[in-house]
Amino acid sequence: MTWLACELHTHTFHSDGRQSLAELARGAKSLGFDCIALTDHNTMAGLVHTEQVERETGLLIISGMEWTTFFGHMVTIGIKDNLDWRKVGPGDIHAGLAQVHKQGGLAGMAHPFRPGSPMCTGCYWEFEISDWSEIDYIEVWSTTFAPVKKNNIRAYRLWTDKLNEGFRIAATSGRDWHIQEPAGEPLSVTYLQVEEGEAPFTERAIEALSSGRVSVTLGPRLDLEVNVNGKVHQIGDVVSGLDGTEPLAAIQIQADFTVRHEHWHLPEQTFTISLKSNSGVLSEFAALPDDLPLHTEISVQGLLWIRAEMWGVIQGVRTLIAFTNAVYFE
């Protein structure tokens, strides 16, 4: 498997963007991304030259669409045909999700707490969700310098709440990229751990996201391993077969400071590495980059999930810098 730097929320002039797919791809490549998902509003017309743009830029492109309604926006990847948004009410989200899954795609909540109408029609999520297991992922970080924005803090808390309720939902970031101009603020990156092989890349990206093999960051990429009874589990894995008599689980938290290193800057500092779970904070460490990887042991009793977080200072603000998706327990 390999980790790929992805931007999963982008637009071209086929909806409300001000860039072509080729311009978008070149811009993403220059920022150190390996892949993008094109998610124009209610259209997939922008994907028509995908193969040509991939050849010209060396960037991988995931097919997608932002299903845009008056009651919420749903980012989708891996679909093949447009979804009809015109006759959709607050109680119709599960019909839309069924259409996405029928096509073999994944559906996520886009910027669920961004201000809605009249500032951004339908941006605030108002759909009635009766079964959260049908939501594949939540865009918990939206736009630039995402972790300091209140709507993203709410989205991150929503994701945590759903993990605590036992749902296995992935968390992603998305720039919601519309135009080729300098961001001026830190960019977040969604890393997908993708299988190598001959299958089409979109299929392998879908499998990675649906399995929760995801790590999100403004800079270094965090990784998490859980060793129970000699078996190593990675991000997105389920630790199963527990009967309550297991010894302590051995935990390793690693951070790769080399990824895209020319595209972000962190001042020299001591970071806080936190291991979170449905039981709260399990362990917390003050660490310099050379202190990593970190090792600790935890009890698995009562755990539903764990994730790693890195906190520190960026552009003068102390905030969450990076986090992994969950390792689950059953």
Side-chain angles (χ1 to χ4, degrees), residues 191-206:
Y191 282 91
L192 299 180
Q193 191 180 39
V194 179
E195 293 269 11
E196 299 178 1
E198 299 299 320
F201 174 69
T202 289
E203 292 181 11
R204 291 183 283 130
I206 288 172

Side-chain angles (χ1 to χ4, degrees), residues 110-126:
H111 44 66
F113 296 110
R114 186 182 296 177
S117 299
M119 295 177 63
C120 180
T121 301
C123 283
Y124 187 88
W125 192 274
E126 298 180 75

Side-chain angles (χ1 to χ4, degrees), residues 4 16 61 70 95-96 132 201 236 239 280 301:
L4 298 180
D16 62 344
I61 300 172
F70 294 109
W132 280 88
F201 174 69
V239 182
Q301 190 69 36

Side-chain angles (χ1 to χ4, degrees), residues 71-140:
F71 307 102
H73 295 190
M74 179 168 67
V75 278
T76 69
I77 67 169
I79 62 172
K80 303 173 180 64
D81 300 306
N82 284 359
L83 304 174
D84 192 348
W85 63 274
R86 293 168 295 178
K87 296 181 180 180
V88 175
D92 297 327
I93 185 61
H94 287 284
L97 292 168
Q99 291 183 58
V100 173
H101 295 149
K102 185 177 180 180
Q103 294 187 38
L106 301 179
M109 302 172 72
H111 44 66
F113 296 110
R114 186 182 296 177
S117 299
M119 295 177 63
C120 180
T121 301
C123 283
Y124 187 88
W125 192 274
E126 298 180 75
F127 281 117
E128 300 161 2
I129 301 175
S130 58
D131 184 358
W132 280 88
S133 66
E134 294 185 10
I135 300 291
D136 298 303
Y137 60 104
I138 301 173
E139 186 182 78
V140 299

